[in-house]
Amino acid sequence: MRVNQLIALLREHDLYRGTTAELDPDTDFATLHYDSRQMTANGLFVCKGFTFSPKYLQQAIANGATAYLAEQDYQVAVPGILVTDVRKALSLAAQLYFDFPQNQLFLIGYTGTKGKTTSTYFTHHILSEAFPGQVAMFSTINHIIGNQPQDTFKAHLTTAESFDLFHEMRQAVDNGQKILVMEVASQAYLLHRVYGLTFDVGIFLNISPDHIGVNEHPNFANYLLCKQQLMLNSRQCIINADMDHFAEVYAAAKVSTDPAKIFTYGVENTTASVSLHPQTATLTASAFTLTANDQRLASLAADYHVSVPGDFNQGNATAAILASHLAGAQTADMQAGLARTLVPGRMESLATQHHGTVYIDYAHDWGSMDALLHFLHTQFPDHHITVVTGSTGDKGEDRRAGFAKAFNAYADTAILTTDDPGQEDPRVIAQQIDAGIDHDKVTTTYIAKREDAIHHAIAHATNHDLIVLAGKGEDAYQKINGVNTPYATDPVIAKQVIADLEG
């Protein structure tokens, strides 16, 4: 990556302010990093982050940085390239450094308050049927950048930092991948992690208040605005016609996308591009039929079976069908992929002999919790529903009142416990959830240790009970006081409790 190339790119985006000292325009940086510990000889170091300290720049220089990229002059021994927004600049620098890997991928991006991970998995499975060994995936659970065991690994963020994002894209391209399906969080646009990136297909699943707090979005309007950016940066758009704020999202899509390339879907919705007609929804799977109101999509009119339970997942599956169609998949690929998709930590069910049925789901906000509990209550209105959950600390404070609202509507018992409390006291978080619970409807207990809470819920259940373990899914860590503390995961703990109780 040469200096003159980077400056030209920064100028193109009106980010360039100048340099702190003369830089040879033909200087070719061997490395690019924002982590000073990773810096090596002849590198460009990026000074970014809410907690950035000049000592990190000094460490980077000691490790071999010969220049830095920043919003201010740090008056050090090496020259700086100054910009108006270092996060945007990092995204552009990463694209240049990794030789614009997105240009060699068909990019599909999902946004929404709930359903991003499931929809991403659906799409990955469908496209893997159509294009075996050529489909990469960036999800909240896993990243898949190739076909070898080491090419699948745990995700750290819903949408990675821009440097890591384009690095993994380059690895995916080098591994022979042709398509990338990824989740796009609102934070990705708030923090410019996908700045300058255009998606071939952008999908907006839904929106409800979430991620609003001191460390996230200041209000719902900002949250919606950030999510709308995916529509503004996609060549083709898919939107849930039944969602709240549909008109606003559709209007955003039309700003930069030809209406002929905006597709919609909805339940029994004849004004949408395709209509979803639910057939069956059991506690283990579901089936639905699609009809096409847009004759360009006539080939999608068919019956579909989804291996992941929940009537709400039929909408996610429909979004995946449309996205896969635009990527070149056939209807048979869609039917096969949906029938075989299993999503770790999403609506996993464990049957017991004497202690009811245990459901494990990542539901972590009002929208996902409400949809999950509504589905279970609808399927078994006479069963006792017990929910084990907590709420994350340091973010999404509005989730706590949302959980109480969902419990009041559909749950019988709530066992409040610990879930990634961060720097907050998990008991205080639980008290804030409990404050909104109607105790005439919902029996509430607080058990601090999550493993003990799960044991209590299952041990006290009968075969007339449904036990929901919500929030953690397959996550193998709990974030406590800034430390990723190993955690066995909800499925592992639940299976062990069942084995101990039932021999």
Side-chain angles (χ1 to χ4, degrees), residues 24-273:
D24 183 346
D26 291 322
T27 297
D28 194 0
F29 294 115
T31 59
L32 172 72
H33 280 293
Y34 64 90
D35 184 339
S36 59
R37 297 165 297 184
Q38 303 298 318
M39 181 52 63
T40 55
N42 190 27
L44 176 66
F45 180 67
V46 183
C47 305
K48 72 98 189 166
F50 296 119
T51 59
F52 180 79
S53 168
K55 69 181 181 182
Y56 300 141
L57 175 56
Q58 294 290 356
Q59 182 181 10
I61 294 170
N63 288 342
T66 54
Y68 66 94
L69 184 67
E71 294 176 5
Q72 69 180 73
D73 183 352
Y74 284 100
Q75 300 182 339
V76 292
V78 301
I81 301 172
L82 300 182
V83 294
T84 56
D85 190 313
V86 73
R87 287 187 174 276
K88 291 181 179 179
L90 172 58
S91 182
L92 296 175
Q95 293 173 49
L96 176 62
Y97 181 72
F98 293 112
D99 195 21
F100 301 98
Q102 67 269 32
N103 293 342
Q104 297 172 266
L105 292 164
F106 187 92
L107 292 181
I108 299 173
Y110 277 96
T111 199
T113 303
K114 59 183 180 181
K116 294 188 297 296
T117 300
T118 300
S119 301
T120 298
Y121 264 79
F122 282 156
T123 309
H124 181 264
H125 275 69
I126 290 170
L127 292 175
S128 293
E129 292 282 340
F131 310 104
Q134 299 179 60
V135 188
M137 180 180 76
F138 297 168
S139 83
T140 300
I141 300 174
N142 282 329
H143 284 201
I144 300 173
I145 59 172
N147 303 309
Q148 301 302 313
Q150 66 270 20
D151 295 331
T152 298
F153 48 89
K154 179 178 170 54
H156 297 291
L157 296 168
T158 299
T159 308
E161 182 58 75
S162 57
F163 175 86
D164 304 302
L165 178 70
F166 291 106
H167 181 204
E168 290 179 17
M169 280 191 190
R170 169 48 55 194
Q171 291 176 301
V173 169
D174 292 346
N175 288 336
Q177 307 301 286
K178 305 296 184 184
I179 303 171
L180 170 61
V181 187
M182 63 179 285
E183 297 182 43
V184 186
S186 58
Q187 292 275 304
Y189 282 105
L190 182 67
L191 301 177
H192 305 302
R193 291 172 183 160
V194 291
Y195 179 77
L197 185 61
T198 300
F199 291 82
D200 291 286
V201 182
I203 304 99
F204 205 123
L205 296 170
N206 49 65
I207 191 162
S208 57
D210 192 31
H211 295 290
I212 298 166
V214 64
N215 295 320
E216 297 183 285
H217 299 278
N219 49 52
F220 178 77
N222 180 262
Y223 177 54
L224 174 59
L225 176 65
C226 286
K227 285 196 168 294
Q228 286 174 316
Q229 300 310 301
L230 178 60
M231 300 292 95
L232 293 166
N233 290 281
S234 296
R235 296 182 179 93
Q236 301 176 93
C237 298
I238 298 168
I239 308 172
N240 177 1
D242 297 336
M243 64 177 279
D244 291 342
H245 302 277
F246 168 74
E248 295 161 77
V249 174
Y250 192 87
K254 288 199 299 181
V255 170
S256 56
T257 304
D258 181 344
K261 295 184 178 180
I262 302 174
F263 303 90
T264 59
Y265 65 95
V267 178
E268 309 287 358
N269 190 331
T270 57
T271 64
S273 303

Side-chain angles (χ1 to χ4, degrees), residues 357-369:
T357 304
V358 179
Y359 289 90
I360 300 160
D361 193 82
Y362 188 63
H364 62 289
D365 55 31
W366 171 78
S368 53
M369 184 72 79

